[in-house]
Amino acid sequence: LVGSEMCIRDRAREMEKMGVQSICIKDMAGIMGPQEGYDLVKALKENVKVPIVVHTHCTTGLGPLTLQKAVEAGADVIDTAISCFSGGTAQPATETLAYALRQEGYEVSLDDKKLKEINDFFKPIRAQALESGLLNPVVLSTETDALVYQVPGGMLSNLVAQLTAQKSLDKLDAVSYTHLRAHETELHL
């Protein structure tokens, strides 16, 4: 959903009338702040009855904070990733959010032993992906510049892979900011 709060509310009501079974707020670049997430979820929960799902990325470091505030506002579902594949251009860690939300008094029906089992299973796969170059450590880190250039997480991961293949990863910032300038130009057309 893109637009003002009123526009989003109206669009959500239309979607509900059309029969949607849920509404997902997708923050592909990880740039939605905690208060924005709270306000958006709260506005939707006050105006529609379908479940509200929140999907964000950790690219800028805001992901866990935003999801925590989204839950506080009444989000029904939040998207997370198992910890060894979380952070960076991925989603916040499932285990960390479960721990934090339980501390705040929320009922979290996840089995911590199963989560550890899943994470332990994927750790060697992650290590192989890092060793082979399939997974670049650059996409696992926080990139606060993304608050400015606003490149979605999946696009950033692909961009890193393409620049690495061309031995041009040193040009990542310049290319990312070019995306911003192209987007600004598009908005002014």
Side-chain angles (χ1 to χ4, degrees):
L1 295 172
V2 178
S4 71
E5 193 174 301
M6 187 170 27
C7 175
I8 290 169
R9 254 193 339 251
D10 292 345
R11 213 177 271 173
R13 286 178 184 149
E14 286 176 38
M15 292 166 61
E16 188 174 49
K17 285 178 187 172
M18 290 172 21
V20 299
Q21 295 179 350
S22 66
I23 294 174
C24 183
I25 300 165
K26 294 196 82 156
D27 173 26
M28 305 296 279
I31 59 173
M32 180 170 54
Q35 192 61 49
E36 292 166 310
Y38 179 90
D39 293 344
L40 184 52
V41 169
K42 189 170 188 287
L44 290 172
K45 292 299 287 182
E46 289 172 352
N47 288 278
V48 295
K49 291 180 175 42
V50 297
I52 304 300
V53 180
V54 181
H55 175 96
T56 191
H57 293 252
C58 290
T59 311
T60 63
L62 290 172
L65 301 167
T66 300
L67 289 183
Q68 217 167 348
K69 289 295 282 185
V71 169
E72 187 181 314
D76 299 286
V77 177
I78 56 172
D79 289 345
T80 59
I82 201 71
S83 61
C84 69
F85 282 116
S86 68
T89 58
Q91 289 74 41
T94 303
E95 302 92 321
T96 304
L97 267 273
Y99 181 88
L101 292 171
R102 282 189 188 114
Q103 273 202 342
E104 291 182 352
Y106 292 97
E107 183 181 327
V108 179
S109 59
L110 295 174
D111 182 335
D112 291 332
K113 289 178 184 173
K114 279 287 182 202
L115 292 175
K116 179 170 177 19
E117 185 181 322
I118 293 166
N119 193 51
D120 289 346
F121 174 84
F122 281 109
K123 281 181 181 177
I125 295 168
R126 177 184 187 264
Q128 290 170 350
L130 284 165
E131 187 178 319
S132 72
L134 179 64
L135 182 59
N136 190 311
V138 170
V139 302
L140 300 176
S141 63
T142 299
E143 183 54 67
T144 55
D145 285 348
L147 288 166
V148 177
Y149 58 68
Q150 303 182 5
V151 173
M155 185 176 165
L156 187 58
S157 297
N158 288 333
L159 182 57
V160 166
Q162 290 173 17
L163 290 172
T164 299
Q166 295 176 15
K167 298 184 183 353
S168 300
L169 190 56
D170 60 313
K171 294 180 175 50
L172 178 61
D173 282 344
V175 172
S176 296
Y177 279 100
T178 300
H179 172 269
L180 171 65
R181 287 189 296 278
H183 182 67
E184 287 173 343
T185 302
E186 179 183 316
L187 291 174
H188 294 297
L189 292 178

